[in-house]
Amino acid sequence: MVGFKNRFMLMEVYLDPDKDLLGEGTPVILTKLNLSEAIKDSILVNFGECGLASCLGSFHVAYVNPVTKLCIVRSSRDEHRRVWSAMTLVRSVGNCPVVFNLLDISGCVRACRDAALKCETEKFNQCGKGLSEEETREMNRCLDKLKLLKMRSPRTLEVWKLDTVNYLKSLKLQDKLVSERKANRIPDTLLSLQHPPTYTLGKRRTDHNLLIPEAELKSIGAELHYTQRGGDITFHGPHQAVLYPILSLRSIGFGARSYVEALERSMIEFSSIYGVKARAGNKCETGVWVGDRKIGAIGVRISSGITCHGLAFNIDPDMKYFEHIVPCGIADKEVTSLRRETDAQLPSEEVIHEQLVTCLAKVFSYDDVVVKEDPSAILDTLEDND
């Protein structure tokens, strides 16, 4: 028996054009954007940030017909009940009261598409003569899009499990993998590793946020490196999970902002495993926070649509190292760790790294995760070429 990973829900959306919640009298045109925002808002209100982070990896409004008000929403098998519950609690789209009616639910897009085509054809036959020329053209455009709706190709994420890696060596490895990803010689790749004590500065070169003379870094066992990533100064060290995604944003359909938000959601969902309620930063606050305490940092670089650098999540690092910097350039804020924020018994760090990788793969909707065999051999090659 085939176990489908997604659920495709075909729905009819009932808008009440005679009621305008704000009294502005502007008619609401149903779109993927306003429908998606209404559903996501409902998920956030009713299931919280962790619920939203869990759903967004697979949630997608795949089709909307503004004439017949039919739509198709995709969600994962695990989350579709939560998404549907949130949809039943949506009260309005724009200013207009709204109700959803579930017509069909399928495990594959082809079956849902066929059901939608049948419904659209029946509706068109019923009201075709009463449609304006513009509505008829829009109807035909929607039908053409629906016929082309198909299952996307399965996406694979290749994970390189590395131990503690010197920061400069990790930069060389990322440069090599970015070049290969641009040439389409490798799939989307994720480096999972830790660093020895290292401070890194982004391309803005905010040296003033390093609070210890550079000459004294050696005495505390740390290094300083300048990078081309975004973001401010940060610390990497033992007992911190570092993920460097080498991804093609074009292939996954993400922009820069949505990519960073997905990295945040990955850490938020991971935190929830241990009962920690994390959140994305407020305005001008990057990374992931627990209250006013920062638990995860983000700094990325995107070149020709290919990502590098990434995220760092504090498991149980030596917090004294953070006393020598203004973390991420945000003064008067504390840094925290998973160990400090949870009452749960933590497993081995290898298990924690695997859980964080799993959360990232889920948020980015990868269908398969493949572990690279003997990635250390590549690191040895880089060392030989030094």
Side-chain angles (χ1 to χ4, degrees):
M1 180 177 178
V2 177
F4 293 104
K5 294 185 177 181
N6 290 317
R7 293 292 181 266
F8 296 86
M9 294 175 280
L10 172 64
M11 285 165 296
E12 189 170 19
V13 184
Y14 292 103
L15 295 170
D16 189 342
D18 296 325
K19 293 183 179 180
D20 185 340
L21 298 182
L22 298 182
E24 296 175 354
T26 303
V28 172
I29 298 175
L30 206 61
T31 67
K32 285 185 179 181
L33 179 60
N34 60 20
L35 188 58
S36 177
E37 290 302 314
I39 297 170
K40 287 191 288 187
D41 287 346
S42 180
I43 296 172
L44 179 62
V45 168
N46 294 288
F47 297 101
E49 289 187 344
C50 292
L52 180 62
S54 180
C55 291
L56 285 187
S58 60
F59 170 76
H60 175 59
V61 178
Y63 171 78
V64 171
N65 186 332
V67 179
T68 61
K69 309 298 189 294
L70 286 182
C71 67
I72 294 175
V73 174
R74 182 197 73 196
S75 185
S76 70
R77 177 178 56 196
D78 296 332
E79 299 294 342
H80 80 278
R81 289 184 178 86
R82 182 169 7 211
V83 172
W84 170 242
S85 296
M87 293 174 70
T88 64
L89 297 171
V90 173
R91 292 294 173 257
S92 64
V93 174
N95 303 329
C96 190
V98 64
V99 175
F100 291 90
N101 179 34
L102 182 64
L103 301 177
D104 184 81
I105 184 167
S106 306
C108 70
V109 70
R110 185 180 298 107
C112 190
R113 179 194 62 199
D114 292 345
L117 281 171
K118 182 178 179 181
C119 290
E120 293 283 41
T121 301
E122 290 176 355
K123 283 180 171 290
F124 193 41
N125 290 336
Q126 291 172 3
C127 61
K129 292 182 179 179
L131 298 178
S132 66
E133 290 186 10
E134 178 56 35
E135 287 176 327
T136 301
R137 284 194 295 269
E138 181 63 31
M139 185 75 185
N140 287 324
R141 283 194 293 266
C142 288
L143 288 174
D144 289 341
K145 291 178 182 178
L146 184 58
K147 291 173 184 177
L148 295 174
L149 194 64
K150 61 181 179 180
M151 187 81 76
R152 61 169 172 80
S153 300
R155 294 209 316 268
T156 298
L157 179 67
E158 184 174 90
V159 177
W160 293 33
K161 293 183 179 181
L162 303 166
D163 294 320
T164 301
V165 180
N166 173 274
Y167 191 79
L168 283 180
K169 190 180 291 186
S170 77
L171 287 181
K172 291 181 180 180
L173 178 57
Q174 288 180 77
D175 287 343
K176 175 181 172 64
L177 294 176
V178 166
S179 296
E180 293 187 353
R181 189 67 187 93
K182 286 179 180 178
N184 210 30
R185 289 195 290 265
I186 62 170
D188 285 347
T189 301
L190 180 69
L191 306 182
S192 175
L193 50 86
Q194 296 188 39
H195 289 302
T198 307
Y199 296 107
T200 67
L201 280 160
K203 57 187 177 182
R204 288 186 290 162
R205 298 293 190 266
T206 50
D207 302 69
H208 59 276
N209 287 323
L210 178 65
L211 305 180
I212 182 175
E214 190 171 341
E216 296 181 18
L217 289 175
K218 189 174 181 181
S219 67
I220 63 171
E223 300 178 349
L224 175 67
H225 294 290
Y226 295 87
T227 75
Q228 293 300 310
R229 63 164 173 79
D232 210 293
I233 192 168
T234 193
F235 169 75
H236 295 305
H239 312 299
Q240 183 189 67
V242 175
L243 299 184
Y244 291 144
I246 315 297
L247 314 181
S248 169
L249 293 185
R250 294 188 183 95
S251 69
I252 62 178
F254 278 52
R257 182 65 244 172
S258 57
Y259 170 64
V260 171
E261 289 172 348
L263 293 179
E264 291 171 341
R265 292 199 302 272
S266 301
M267 290 190 281
I268 291 170
E269 180 165 347
F270 168 72
S271 299
S272 70
I273 295 173
Y274 295 96
V276 177
K277 189 173 182 179
R279 62 170 178 84
N282 297 322
K283 188 176 181 181
C284 299
E285 292 179 349
T286 58
V288 169
W289 301 71
V290 181
D292 287 331
R293 303 173 299 282
K294 190 165 191 175
I295 196 169
I298 292 175
V300 304
R301 185 186 182 198
I302 301 172
S303 174
S304 301
I306 307 300
T307 68
C308 62
H309 296 277
L311 65 85
F313 187 91
N314 296 330
I315 303 170
D316 188 23
D318 185 344
M319 306 302 282
K320 291 182 179 179
Y321 283 102
F322 290 98
E323 296 174 2
H324 302 299
I325 61 173
V326 180
C328 300
I330 304 174
D332 303 322
K333 297 288 187 179
E334 295 181 25
V335 176
T336 190
S337 66
L338 184 62
R339 175 73 68 186
R340 290 188 175 188
E341 297 296 337
T342 184
D343 294 326
Q345 182 70 33
L346 296 183
S348 69
E349 291 194 1
E350 180 181 0
V351 170
I352 289 176
H353 277 252
E354 289 178 353
Q355 291 172 331
L356 184 55
V357 168
T358 298
C359 289
L360 184 143
K362 179 180 178 181
V363 167
F364 282 87
S365 297
Y366 285 99
D367 301 285
D368 195 17
V369 175
V370 177
V371 177
K372 175 78 171 179
E373 292 186 10
D374 195 20
S376 59
I378 303 294
L379 287 176
D380 293 339
T381 302
L382 293 174
E383 187 172 282
D384 293 340
N385 292 334
D386 284 349

